[in-house]
Amino acid sequence: MPRLTFVIRYSSFAAASFLFLSSAAKAEPACAAPSLKSERNSDFNNFTYKPDEVIVTSESADLLQGKYTEFNGNVTIFQQNQTIKADNAIYDEVSSQFSATGNIELISDAAKVSGLSVFLDEANQDLELLGTKYQFGFNAGRGEAEVFSVTNSNKLKLEGATFTTCPGDDPSWLFSADRIQIDQDKGWGEAWNTVFKIADIPVIYVPYVTFPISDKRKSGLLFPELGNSTRYGTYIAQPIYFNLAENYDFTLTPKYMSERGLLLQSNFRHLSQNSANILQMEYLNEDKDDVELGERHLAYWQHESNWQERWNVQLQWTDLSDDNYISDFSSDYHHQSDTNLNNFAMLTYYGEDIDISWLSQNMYELGPHTPSYDLPIQMTIDWNANSVGDSLQFLVNSQYSLFQNEYKDVNEVQRLHFAPELTYQLNTPAFQLLASTSYLSTYYNQKNRILDEEQEISRNLAKARILAGLTFEKQTTYFKQDVRQTLEPKIQYLYVEDVDQSGIGLYDSQLLKEDYFSLFRDNNYSGIDNISAANQITIGFSTSIYNNVNKELFRFGLGKIYKLNNDVSGTNDELVNSKQAVALEWFGQLTDNWQLDGGILYNQESKEVETGFVSLDYWLAKDKNFQFNHRYATDVAGIKINQAGIFASYQINPTWAVAASYHQDLESNVNMDALIGFEYRSCCWSIQLAAKRQIVVDLNDAQIDSNVDVEYDNGISFNFKISGLGGDLSSSIANLFSESIFAYRRPYLITN
């Protein structure tokens, strides 16, 4: 029997029905929403129609002119972005109402709904289906509803409904509610008298709950964190999120620990057109494990702003009730193995030829260490006279600093520094030349509180440096692939005048890391308190191999310092004078995923390796990596470092992943840190279980004795997330490494 086709023209057929859902958030790839477009359009590809027209096809039709039209047999109604199929349908022209019964199926870009009957009121732009099953097209949400309706206010209402994002007929979780209302403009749904079920078992009843249908932020409960450890006992943390405005929000997290008490954590974030602020506040009224400490707290503020393109303000401030707070409770903004807090405020002006900065800094040492000097004020002016030429530059650095430390004999120091420098620099693809000469003049006024006297010291010295390098290239093969190889010899002569600096302390200067690149520096220290005397030549060469997309596959560097004069004794400590040293560094891309890198510094005078590291990495993706590492140093703050460790995380298949880490101190034969975790994730929920063991160091002790028995914190953590209710189901197994004392670091490559 041939099918009949009717074209009905009027304002908009149920215009409110599903168009309001079309811009909702995308679902997770593993639970991708079904594509309904081709299913909706397939019957009408050959029709040309206008937006205000409705096309109806059926096997037969009865028409009563001016009153109604009755369609029978395989009725299909199509208009713009939706299609309705039914066994029978009636269109009432007087009331502009449409009703259909029998095997109802509604398909749009936003949803597919099947039901027993459908009613459409064109005048009021309402749509209602009874006895429905629905599947959203904008995410993996689906369920059943006694009544499925859309009102003229563009809100979707479900009565006697269920909701889940799990596929299949037996969902892992769902919630049933008397009423569910979804508002796409707000990006959230609301449910009343809700029962949440896992594996069809009722878990919790909630009178009212909201849930997201997009990535828009909304106030509410975030997913809790559960666990047990020897340090905390059984604990649960429940974040409560407050979306105060588009540019600022607040999160309050009560964390109950059976062995410690109730810890309140709050986080406030504010973002404007030219500034960003983070404020973290934490408070524990009484620590059951150490009542003598009394109230414990953390306060953290981070600020950065830019004004009129030339002014920049940066601020970071942390206040702790006791040194051990971060080690005990961890922090989102400090690592538990941190040894100091860097509190500072800095104002910088960037001019055309001059930069000016004002800095106030407090470097607070954690644990039983001698406090560092405070820096109440430091003003730095850098002037660059570009008028001399593109290659020849005249630079002037000047700085005033005030240092204070009430615990040291020399408790207040004023330092005035002035350093003009003339630099010539030439760089071409094949040649590098840097020549500089400078004169450093520094004045110190040092007050000694014990002797109640002031000491004035002037230090003046000259510095000269010449660095030259060549770059050779050739095309060759590397493991049967065409590559480009470079050879870069480099030579540097450095002269720093030997003057008496024995009366100058180290106020803001620290010994820098020594490796291949450090051989070509002009000072072993940061800051200007210790300027190491030198009369030496450094010779080095490096070679690299690059593939046809300029990715570095191999690198090897070798450098050596030759001292021309061994009689330099004017530095603060002759043990850190420039020394005859050999440095090596290497990197090899063994395959597309395996790489090896490392380096050592060998002191020819003491005939020992002073520092070294090696790292073997396998990297396939964020959640598929492996690393073996070893680090060695003869002296780091008076301690010998000799440690080895491994990281491994691997996503076995789309649902299972595992992660593990282990670090051993080879000097004391002590396990420093160990962790193993498992993760299961489906398209609608995930669970993560981890066990960890970490060495405990009490920074509140006046003395830290390495010979006492080692104390460990052993714990188990549990994390459960649900898709469709605000949970991010991307794999987070590698994030467990952030809980390790030694956080995972992927080797840095310039070509990455």
Side-chain angles (χ1 to χ4, degrees):
M1 178 183 296
R3 291 178 61 80
L4 303 177
T5 302
F6 294 81
V7 177
I8 302 174
R9 178 174 298 164
Y10 54 98
S11 59
S12 176
F13 169 63
S17 54
F18 288 99
L19 299 180
F20 76 105
L21 292 171
S22 60
S23 62
K26 297 181 179 178
E28 290 291 333
C31 275
S35 176
L36 306 176
K37 184 175 182 179
S38 60
E39 188 175 355
R40 172 175 54 80
N41 291 339
S42 58
D43 292 339
F44 298 94
N45 291 335
N46 297 324
F47 287 100
T48 302
Y49 54 90
K50 299 178 181 179
D52 61 347
E53 293 179 341
V54 176
I55 300 174
V56 183
T57 66
S58 64
E59 294 178 357
S60 64
D62 294 327
L63 175 64
L64 184 58
Q65 186 70 33
K67 292 187 176 181
Y68 68 87
T69 304
E70 182 176 348
F71 304 94
N72 299 297
N74 295 324
V75 180
T76 303
I77 307 166
F78 177 78
Q79 191 265 346
Q80 282 191 329
N81 294 313
Q82 53 231 346
T83 300
I84 295 179
K85 295 182 179 181
D87 291 341
N88 305 286
I90 296 177
Y91 173 62
D92 189 331
E93 296 183 33
V94 177
S95 61
S96 296
Q97 294 177 345
F98 216 113
S99 61
T101 59
N103 297 313
I104 299 298
E105 190 174 88
L106 186 149
I107 304 171
S108 73
D109 291 345
K112 177 179 179 180
V113 186
S114 62
L116 300 176
S117 64
V118 62
F119 175 81
L120 301 112
D121 187 338
E122 169 57 24
N124 297 316
Q125 295 188 349
D126 291 340
L127 176 149
E128 183 177 276
L129 292 94
L130 302 179
T132 65
K133 292 183 178 181
Y134 66 90
Q135 170 70 67
F136 291 139
F138 58 86
N139 69 13
R142 65 181 183 86
E144 299 179 1
E146 296 175 1
V147 179
F148 184 106
S149 62
V150 180
T151 67
N152 59 1
S153 59
N154 285 351
K155 291 183 179 180
L156 171 63
K157 293 183 178 180
L158 310 176
E159 297 180 16
T162 64
F163 178 87
T164 183
T165 59
C166 296
D169 297 329
D170 185 18
S172 299
W173 69 268
L174 63 78
F175 65 77
S176 60
D178 288 350
R179 181 162 59 97
I180 297 175
Q181 184 169 299
I182 294 177
D183 191 328
Q184 188 270 342
D185 292 335
K186 296 181 179 179
W188 283 80
E190 300 173 281
W192 288 263
N193 294 326
T194 302
V195 177
F196 183 79
K197 300 179 180 180
I198 296 179
D200 206 31
I201 299 174
V203 175
I204 189 172
Y205 167 80
V206 182
Y208 173 78
V209 66
T210 63
F211 58 96
I213 62 169
S214 72
D215 58 357
K216 291 184 178 180
R217 298 176 294 134
K218 191 178 189 299
S219 302
L221 299 180
L222 304 180
F223 283 93
E225 178 187 357
L226 305 172
N228 182 277
S229 72
T230 54
R231 179 179 293 190
Y232 303 141
T234 301
Y235 63 89
I236 178 171
Q238 176 58 70
I240 307 170
Y241 178 74
F242 298 90
N243 183 33
L244 304 178
E246 289 186 359
N247 64 322
Y248 58 91
D249 57 18
F250 176 76
T251 303
L252 176 65
T253 307
K255 181 175 183 179
Y256 174 75
M257 302 165 286
S258 62
E259 298 295 326
R260 311 302 289 266
L262 179 62
L263 175 66
L264 295 177
Q265 300 172 307
S266 64
N267 180 268
F268 177 78
R269 301 183 301 176
H270 179 272
L271 184 67
S272 67
Q273 185 175 0
N274 56 6
S275 68
N277 286 276
I278 296 174
L279 181 63
Q280 178 83 8
M281 304 288 289
E282 301 181 9
Y283 177 77
L284 179 64
N285 181 53
E286 181 181 82
D287 191 341
K288 297 179 183 179
D289 188 59
D290 198 340
V291 179
E292 294 182 357
L293 289 176
E295 299 177 354
R296 305 186 70 181
H297 71 267
L298 174 147
Y300 173 83
W301 180 25
Q302 177 181 302
H303 169 85
E304 181 171 5
S305 57
N306 295 285
W307 306 92
Q308 299 179 351
E309 297 183 355
R310 294 188 179 274
W311 291 90
N312 176 264
V313 177
Q314 295 184 49
L315 183 146
Q316 180 174 293
W317 173 78
T318 304
D319 180 69
L320 300 177
S321 58
D322 55 275
D323 289 358
N324 218 45
Y325 186 94
I326 294 174
S327 177
D328 275 351
F329 302 114
S330 70
S331 170
D332 291 334
Y333 306 102
H334 296 283
H335 195 270
Q336 58 183 327
S337 60
D338 284 350
T339 59
N340 59 71
L341 303 176
N342 184 13
N343 295 333
F344 69 90
M346 182 167 65
L347 172 65
T348 306
Y349 170 79
Y350 299 98
E352 293 292 340
D353 300 318
I354 190 169
D355 295 338
I356 304 174
S357 65
W358 295 265
L359 172 67
S360 181
Q361 184 179 44
N362 166 248
M363 190 68 71
Y364 179 77
E365 306 290 338
L366 297 174
H369 302 289
T370 304
S372 299
Y373 278 91
D374 291 337
L375 184 63
I377 181 64
Q378 182 178 83
M379 181 176 178
T380 303
I381 301 176
D382 291 318
W383 178 55
N384 182 2
N386 294 317
S387 59
V388 181
D390 294 335
S391 299
L392 188 63
Q393 291 185 324
F394 180 66
L395 311 171
V396 178
N397 170 260
S398 57
Q399 185 182 87
Y400 168 78
S401 305
L402 171 64
F403 302 98
Q404 294 177 339
N405 190 329
E406 60 180 331
Y407 300 101
K408 290 184 176 290
D409 294 349
V410 180
N411 62 312
E412 183 176 294
V413 177
Q414 296 188 70
R415 185 182 70 193
L416 184 62
H417 179 72
F418 183 77
E421 179 180 10
L422 186 63
T423 301
Y424 177 81
Q425 190 167 3
L426 177 64
N427 290 296
T428 70
F431 180 68
Q432 171 194 8
L433 176 63
L434 172 65
S436 66
T437 180
S438 58
Y439 189 79
L440 289 74
S441 180
T442 312
Y443 165 81
Y444 290 86
N445 182 289
Q446 303 177 145
K447 293 183 179 180
N448 191 308
R449 64 183 179 89
I450 303 298
L451 302 178
D452 192 23
E453 64 180 21
E454 295 184 11
Q455 181 185 24
E456 295 185 357
I457 299 177
S458 295
R459 180 196 61 195
N460 301 283
L461 58 87
K463 180 193 295 185
R465 180 190 184 200
I466 300 177
L467 173 65
L470 297 172
T471 301
F472 301 95
E473 291 187 2
K474 72 172 184 177
Q475 300 296 321
T476 183
T477 59
Y478 178 75
F479 287 99
K480 298 182 179 180
Q481 63 173 314
D482 294 333
V483 296
R484 174 175 58 90
Q485 182 177 8
T486 65
L487 178 65
E488 301 177 52
K490 186 182 295 186
I491 185 171
Q492 173 182 273
Y493 172 73
L494 176 66
Y495 172 79
V496 181
E497 185 179 357
D498 182 16
V499 299
D500 183 15
Q501 306 178 62
S502 57
I504 301 174
L506 298 180
Y507 306 117
D508 65 348
S509 303
Q510 297 290 332
L511 185 65
L512 296 170
K513 177 184 177 182
E514 296 180 293
D515 54 17
Y516 171 80
F517 300 100
S518 72
L519 300 187
F520 296 92
R521 283 199 295 254
D522 58 0
N523 194 20
N524 294 331
Y525 274 76
S526 66
I528 57 177
D529 294 326
N530 189 336
I531 301 176
S532 303
N535 186 13
Q536 64 192 36
I537 293 176
T538 304
I539 298 176
F541 81 92
S542 63
T543 180
S544 296
I545 294 177
Y546 301 89
N547 63 11
N548 55 7
V549 293
N550 209 36
K551 181 180 180 181
E552 190 174 37
L553 305 178
F554 174 83
R555 180 178 68 249
F556 176 80
L558 173 64
K560 182 178 180 180
I561 292 178
Y562 295 90
K563 295 176 64 175
L564 303 181
N565 182 3
N566 292 322
D567 298 326
V568 288
S569 57
T571 55
N572 302 45
D573 187 348
E574 61 184 16
L575 295 178
V576 295
N577 282 345
S578 179
K579 50 183 170 281
Q580 289 192 175
V582 176
L584 292 90
E585 63 117 9
W586 61 84
F587 165 78
Q589 188 81 33
L590 307 179
T591 68
D592 289 341
N593 308 113
W594 285 94
Q595 61 187 39
L596 175 71
D597 65 322
I600 61 172
L601 182 75
Y602 178 75
N603 189 331
Q604 290 181 291
E605 297 172 353
S606 62
K607 301 188 183 304
E608 65 177 1
V609 174
E610 292 199 346
T611 62
F613 81 97
V614 63
S615 173
L616 175 66
D617 269 80
Y618 169 83
W619 181 272
L620 186 61
K622 174 188 174 184
D623 48 3
K624 289 185 178 180
N625 58 72
F626 166 87
Q627 183 188 89
F628 166 80
N629 58 71
H630 178 264
R631 58 181 69 86
Y632 177 86
T634 56
D635 185 4
V636 176
I639 300 175
K640 184 176 182 180
I641 302 296
N642 186 11
Q643 298 169 344
I646 60 170
F647 291 102
S649 68
Y650 195 79
Q651 184 176 333
I652 302 170
N653 55 44
T655 57
W656 283 98
V658 61
S661 67
Y662 186 90
H663 289 84
Q664 184 82 4
D665 189 302
L666 303 180
E667 285 297 307
S668 58
N669 196 28
V670 170
N671 170 228
M672 306 289 292
D673 176 90
L675 179 145
I676 184 168
F678 299 92
E679 180 182 77
Y680 173 83
R681 60 189 180 103
S682 69
C683 62
C684 61
W685 64 281
S686 72
I687 186 172
Q688 190 179 92
L689 185 66
K692 66 178 181 178
R693 185 190 198 208
Q694 292 181 350
I695 194 169
V696 176
V697 177
D698 188 358
L699 297 178
N700 290 330
D701 277 352
Q703 298 290 332
I704 296 179
D705 189 352
S706 60
N707 296 322
V708 301
D709 293 336
V710 176
E711 180 184 352
Y712 288 100
D713 175 30
N714 302 307
I716 296 176
S717 62
F718 174 82
N719 201 323
F720 180 73
K721 292 183 179 180
I722 294 175
S723 173
L725 296 179
D728 178 11
L729 283 200
S730 59
S731 179
S732 58
I733 191 69
N735 293 343
L736 289 174
F737 294 147
S738 63
E739 301 179 13
S740 172
I741 293 177
F742 306 96
Y744 174 77
R745 294 290 184 270
R746 189 181 180 194
Y748 172 75
L749 297 176
I750 295 177
T751 55
N752 277 356

